[in-house]
Amino acid sequence: MSATGPVVSAWSAVSAFGVGQEAFGAGVRAKQPAVTALDTERWAAPTDRACLVPGGEPRELLGRKGTRSMDRVTALAVAAVGRLLDDGEGARIPGLDEDTGLVLGTSNGSVGSIMSFTRDSLTQDRPYLVDPARFPNTVMNCAAGQSAIRHGLRGPNVTIAGGRASALLALNHAQRLQRCGHARTVVCGAAEEFSAERAWLDWHARGEHQPAEPDEAPLTGEGCAVLLLEAGTEAGAGRTPLAELAAVEIALPADEKDAGPVLADCVRRALRRAGLTPADLWALAPADAPGPYGDRERTALAEVLGGHDPLRLSCTGLLGDTGAASAAFQIAALLASAEEDAAAAGRAALVTTADPDGVVGCAVLRLA
């Protein structure tokens, strides 16, 4: 594969399918929703089902050392980055240097940590007996910082908050770091945790769009997916590029009703930048967000694609609403599916997103 733009040379995921690339790929191919019945004593959530990472507690994912005060989203990110950088034999994959960067997308960091710490500061006995060891979890960049510290990534360390578009914003920023010479190789992706607090916020945010029946409400999911982004001319160290990042387009519609047309324009611009047409697309991975933004995304795609009907991969139906991790899982699903489908070779794939906070965007990948 001859690539002029950045290339994805490795990826990993921690999801409701399990830990690691193999578990994620098997889950995508099986097309079975990964749903867990919630322990009501552990989770005081507005639902009795969710898409949880098996063994998603920090100590189960990472062991006892350094995890006493670690929150769930940090553990998910540290575990995913660790799997990405592991060569499968317990050593670091080759070709990384001390300037390797990390760009991680999020919604708000850990909503559970922020709200529980704030609650303790108001309800515990004087002098406000909060657990100071848990304070770092309330900072939005905790997951990215801990991932870099634990895995020795000393390059630029960036946290980007952008809802469902977080992974696309992270890719865009990673490209910028490479173009400006701040990092040749960047680990980028996005993470989201499940918590009762987040589940309640999502429930209230749906407002008038709340389904009449509780079972019809979208399930809340969690996880982290990360990619290794390298310069196309330098990718190597024994790694075969999986896909070229041909284009990323992000936009902020002025109004909710403009989300569909603006997203359609983003897709057209991305395809034009990549030198492609809708007919060149092998697969499409939409966000399929619940509510009106999902409807506007579907309308925009129907307008741009016309009569072309590429393979559609929806992670929301399998992994639930994974918030900030959504677009990262969409990319991972495309890469996992391309490995098993000979028709994908040399073709292009499209990832789209539309977030209720107003960000829309897309990415075009040219597959190896």
Side-chain angles (χ1 to χ4, degrees):
M1 176 182 182
S2 177
T4 56
V7 297
V8 177
S9 59
W11 65 276
S12 190
V14 175
S15 71
F17 292 141
V19 177
Q21 179 177 329
E22 295 77 12
F24 188 87
V28 169
R29 290 188 290 273
K31 298 181 180 180
Q32 293 296 319
V35 182
T36 301
L38 292 180
D39 178 355
T40 55
E41 293 185 3
R42 168 72 173 86
W43 306 104
T47 178
D48 59 359
R49 300 180 304 147
C51 297
L52 301 184
V53 172
E57 298 295 340
R59 286 192 176 186
E60 293 181 69
L61 282 172
L62 304 170
R64 298 175 63 87
K65 185 177 180 181
T67 57
R68 184 185 73 83
S69 302
M70 184 178 287
D71 61 9
R72 201 172 176 95
V73 71
T74 301
L76 295 173
V78 170
V81 173
R83 282 298 184 114
L84 175 73
L85 301 180
D86 189 344
D87 68 355
E89 298 180 358
R92 174 70 64 92
I93 60 175
L96 302 186
D97 57 27
E98 63 180 13
D99 295 326
T100 298
L102 173 64
V103 184
L104 191 69
T106 181
S107 289
N108 301 285
S110 173
V111 170
S113 294
I114 294 169
M115 295 180 72
S116 63
F117 193 88
T118 302
R119 181 172 58 247
D120 286 349
S121 73
L122 297 172
T123 61
Q124 297 295 336
D125 295 334
R126 294 181 183 234
Y128 314 111
L129 296 178
V130 296
D131 181 356
R134 295 189 179 277
F135 178 73
N137 297 332
T138 67
V139 181
M140 191 170 62
N141 65 346
C142 179
Q146 285 296 310
S147 296
I149 291 169
R150 280 184 165 246
H151 298 300
L153 302 177
R154 297 182 176 86
N157 188 267
V158 182
T159 298
I160 293 180
R164 290 183 182 86
S166 292
L168 300 187
L169 291 165
L171 281 172
N172 208 29
H173 192 81
Q175 289 185 99
R176 191 175 299 117
L177 291 176
Q178 290 178 329
R179 285 196 301 267
C180 295
H182 298 301
R184 293 194 302 272
T185 305
V186 183
V187 175
C188 60
E192 188 74 87
E193 70 174 7
F194 176 86
S195 65
E197 291 84 355
R198 179 184 158 224
W200 276 110
L201 288 176
D202 288 349
W203 187 85
H204 285 292
R206 285 194 287 270
E208 63 185 31
H209 305 296
Q210 184 73 31
E213 297 296 329
D215 288 345
E216 297 176 0
L219 297 176
T220 303
E222 66 174 357
C224 177
V226 287
L227 315 169
L228 188 64
L229 196 70
E230 303 186 70
T233 56
E234 299 177 3
R239 288 183 293 275
T240 300
L242 304 176
E244 178 188 1
L245 184 61
V248 178
E249 289 287 342
I250 306 290
L252 292 168
D255 190 86
E256 178 181 315
K257 67 178 184 299
D258 297 326
V262 172
L263 177 58
D265 287 342
C266 280
V267 174
R268 292 189 187 97
R269 286 199 306 272
L271 290 173
R272 188 162 55 247
R273 281 180 55 196
L276 301 169
T277 68
D280 295 317
L281 294 175
W282 158 73
L284 163 68
D288 281 337
Y293 270 82
D295 296 335
R296 287 174 172 82
E297 180 187 41
R298 285 184 283 275
T299 300
L301 289 172
E303 176 187 336
V304 174
L305 297 178
H308 182 54
D309 187 22
L311 173 68
R312 290 187 178 237
L313 300 169
S314 174
C315 291
T316 302
L318 303 177
L319 297 171
D321 180 3
T322 53
S326 296
F329 281 141
Q330 291 163 240
I331 295 171
L334 287 170
L335 295 174
S337 299
E339 291 175 2
E340 302 294 324
D341 189 346
R347 302 285 300 282
L350 175 68
V351 175
T352 60
T353 192
D355 187 79
D357 285 338
V359 182
V360 299
C362 67
V364 175
L365 301 174
R366 188 176 285 109
L367 300 162

